[in-house]
Structures are given as structure tokens and as C-alpha cells.
Amino acid sequence: MELTEAQRLAERLMAEHGLAGWTFRFDRARRRAGLCVFSTQVISLSAPLTRLHSEAEVRDTVLHEIAHALVGPGEGHSERWRATAVRIGSSGRRCVDAEAPRVPGAWVGVCSAGHRVERHRAPQRVASCRECAPGFRPEHLFEWTHRGQSAPMHPSYVRELAALQGRAPAPRLLGRGQRARILLPGRFAGAVGVVEKVGRTRYHLRTSSGVVTVPFAGVEGV
């Protein structure tokens, strides 16, 4: 659906259902079609997905988010939310129809058995195929390409893979209760936490923002 038409549809439906003071916008999400932000009173649609979806699919997404606005925060996809969604003309589905078009991930991982997974961002952690075996199994690692071509992987991925394959010395493990600083770039870069759990390849760190899982090579003791 054209974005200008989708915006007119969304704003008309918002007005029809009494969302005075609410505004509409597009965002760049690639995995979810819509969003209801209570704190700023915004109904948002994914521009990439809106371009792929039909008018009926966009309408259902808008009504889905309007229902969230009508029932208020804290309801999630409760029975009250679903009843409201159906009452105003939505399908009441929690997610977009599985058959609806989607934005393909730029990164594609393929295991030795040919199973595929997609990611929209460069993988930062080594992963194995869950269709081949539950849990992490090094013999079922994914090989990654970016838009069909080989591409450099994230540094933390490279370090973790090298350690797993014995091409680099395994990091000296910290124990439960020890303090550690996160070295990897991103939201939690530089954060300090306490090791709550030591997994197969990752620490579970209790930080001021909650529990964060980080590859062994991505932390240092403090």
C-alpha cells in the first residue's frame, strides 16, 4: 500500500475511534507491522512492511494498535484487548498473518543440512541450527552471507568462533559472584555487572538494567 494512502487511512480510523491527542507516524521496523506508544500517544506503522502489505492488512494493523490505545497500558494482548479489537473491526490476531509479505533479512545463515535463518543485522554471537539439534551444537553452526555474498562478521562473533574452534586461547572464565565489565559495542558497552550464571559460551550478568547475556570474550573482570 502507498504510504500516503496508509497515513490517510490510519488518521481517519484514529479519529473515528476517538483517539484525540494521538498522532500517527511511520517507523523503519522490519519485523513488526505496528506499534502503540502510550507515553507519547503515537500510533506507528512500519514503512517497509506497509509498502508490502495490502490495504486490508494495513487496516487490520492500524485497528490492532488502536485497540491497544483504547484499552490502555498493561493489557497487552489480553482478552479485553482482543474483545475491543474485534469490536472495532480488527481480526483480533496478536501478530500479522503468517502469509503476509515480509521484509527478508539481509543476513542469511545456512547450516550443513541446508536449514536457513534470516537476520536483519549482522550476527554478534555464534549460533547453531535448532532444527538439527536442540541447544548449542558446534557441529551445526550456521554459515552466514550478507545479501548473498560473503561478508566480514562482527568482531565479537569472530572472537567467539575462533575460541570455539580452538584457533584462539579460550578466555579465563569468571565465576559466579564476580564483577565484570562488558567490552562489546552497543547499548551495554562499558556496563559493569555481577556474574549470575556461566553458560556454555556466555555469561549472564546482573546489571543495573537487568540480566544481560554476553559471550565470554566480550567481558573482562573488574
Side-chain angles (χ1 to χ4, degrees):
M1 187 176 186
E2 292 294 329
L3 296 187
T4 52
E5 295 177 2
Q7 180 166 352
R8 284 197 292 267
L9 172 63
E11 291 176 342
R12 177 173 58 80
L13 290 172
M14 290 167 66
E16 285 180 4
H17 294 289
L19 296 193
W22 285 69
T23 57
F24 171 82
R25 67 176 175 84
F26 287 108
D27 58 54
R28 300 173 63 183
R30 293 175 178 272
R31 296 182 179 180
R32 53 141 183 85
L35 182 67
C36 174
V37 185
F38 295 102
S39 60
T40 54
Q41 293 191 303
V42 169
I43 298 291
S44 180
L45 289 180
S46 159
L49 286 171
T50 297
R51 292 189 182 98
L52 297 176
H53 289 173
S54 67
E55 180 177 344
E57 289 165 337
V58 173
R59 179 186 178 87
D60 193 59
T61 298
V62 173
L63 291 172
H64 176 118
E65 304 307 335
I66 288 175
H68 279 303
L70 292 175
V71 299
E75 287 288 338
H77 295 111
S78 65
E79 284 302 315
R80 181 167 174 252
W81 167 82
R82 187 177 184 281
T84 300
V86 171
R87 176 176 59 79
I88 66 175
S90 167
S91 64
R93 290 192 300 261
R94 297 181 58 179
C95 303
V96 173
D97 192 321
E99 300 301 318
R102 60 183 181 83
V103 178
W107 289 87
V108 176
V110 181
C111 76
S112 58
H115 301 133
R116 291 165 52 95
V117 295
E118 295 182 2
R119 299 287 186 271
H120 291 288
R121 297 181 181 179
Q124 296 186 23
R125 298 175 177 176
V126 178
S128 64
C129 179
R130 294 185 179 181
E131 291 191 54
C132 290
F136 181 83
R137 298 289 294 273
E139 62 268 33
H140 298 302
L141 295 182
F142 289 112
E143 293 287 338
W144 293 94
T145 57
H146 182 253
R147 303 190 189 282
Q149 303 293 325
S150 296
M153 300 299 290
H154 191 279
S156 64
Y157 182 100
V158 174
R159 287 194 297 269
E160 187 177 355
L161 181 61
L164 285 169
Q165 294 178 339
R167 292 187 284 107
R172 180 171 173 271
L173 294 184
L174 303 174
R176 290 182 60 187
Q178 288 189 258
R179 287 167 56 81
R181 178 182 293 107
I182 298 175
L183 304 175
L184 301 180
R187 175 184 172 191
F188 299 104
V192 174
V194 175
V195 177
E196 284 200 346
K197 178 182 177 182
V198 180
R200 184 186 296 270
T201 60
R202 301 172 176 86
Y203 296 113
H204 294 237
L205 298 182
R206 169 67 65 179
T207 72
S208 59
S209 300
V211 176
V212 181
T213 58
V214 189
F216 294 153
V219 305
E220 64 178 2
V222 296

